[in-house]
Amino acid sequence: MSVSPFTRLFLLLAIFYTSVAALSVNNPNAKPLAPRQSPAANTATDATCQNYARVANLSTVALNSTLRAAFLRSINLGTDAASSLLDTQSPKLLALKFDEELNTRCGNLSAIALEAAGTNLTAGTVLGIKIIDAVGIAVDAPHLPIIMVLFIIMFGGTWISL
């Protein structure tokens, strides 16, 4: 059985990688991993920070007309229930946004929500829901001119008959 030089190199790199990883795990001076986007480790489980994150996300969608339209079109709650959900959270944002103690403990979650909303809109989602295309006739549809002529005849005929 012959072994290629590439296989031997790959085996050597795998052994080297494993030994380096074992050394870094057993290092007592290694710093623990810090949580992302938050100054303290327990902020992800803090109820106040979770409430702030929820209000920031819903308010970002509620106060932006593009995000709001995409959310209302895509959610299966119905327009009234979904808009009341957004409308009840929007007024709460200002009090949470300017609370210095809360922003120190949790981080500026309103800025994070705004940045994440733009990224998610580009990816085709809003608040974790896939954006559904708007229902209607496409501009380049072949039957659009026929419908327009029918409307002109219908309304023009009504106006002429008066």
Side-chain angles (χ1 to χ4, degrees):
M1 178 173 159
S2 66
V3 179
S4 70
F6 179 72
T7 306
R8 289 183 183 168
L9 177 66
F10 186 73
L11 180 62
L12 182 66
L13 288 175
I15 292 170
F16 176 72
Y17 174 76
T18 306
S19 62
V20 169
L23 288 175
S24 64
V25 168
N26 296 329
N27 186 1
N29 296 329
K31 294 182 180 179
L33 294 176
R36 291 180 58 200
Q37 300 176 339
S38 61
N42 61 354
T43 57
T45 59
D46 187 11
T48 309
C49 292
Q50 288 178 349
N51 181 42
Y52 180 25
R54 187 182 73 249
V55 169
N57 286 328
L58 290 173
S59 297
T60 300
V61 171
L63 298 173
N64 185 320
S65 61
T66 304
L67 293 171
R68 184 181 181 98
F71 177 74
L72 293 177
R73 184 173 58 231
S74 303
I75 193 79
N76 59 0
L77 292 175
T79 306
D80 291 338
S83 60
S84 68
L85 173 71
L86 295 176
D87 293 339
T88 56
Q89 299 300 319
S90 300
K92 297 177 186 177
L93 181 64
L94 283 179
L96 296 174
K97 193 175 186 178
F98 294 112
D99 187 355
E100 291 181 17
E101 190 270 328
L102 183 65
N103 282 322
T104 304
R105 186 167 31 127
C106 301
N108 190 355
L109 296 179
S110 57
I112 294 170
L114 186 62
E115 183 179 334
T119 304
N120 291 340
L121 183 64
T122 305
T125 62
V126 59
L127 292 178
I129 301 167
K130 185 177 179 337
I131 298 174
I132 299 172
D133 291 333
V135 180
I137 299 174
V139 177
D140 59 349
H143 55 279
L144 186 61
I146 297 169
I147 293 173
M148 293 303 297
V149 167
L150 289 174
F151 277 137
I152 291 170
I153 291 171
M154 185 173 65
F155 290 116
T158 304
W159 183 76
I160 289 174
S161 68
L162 293 175

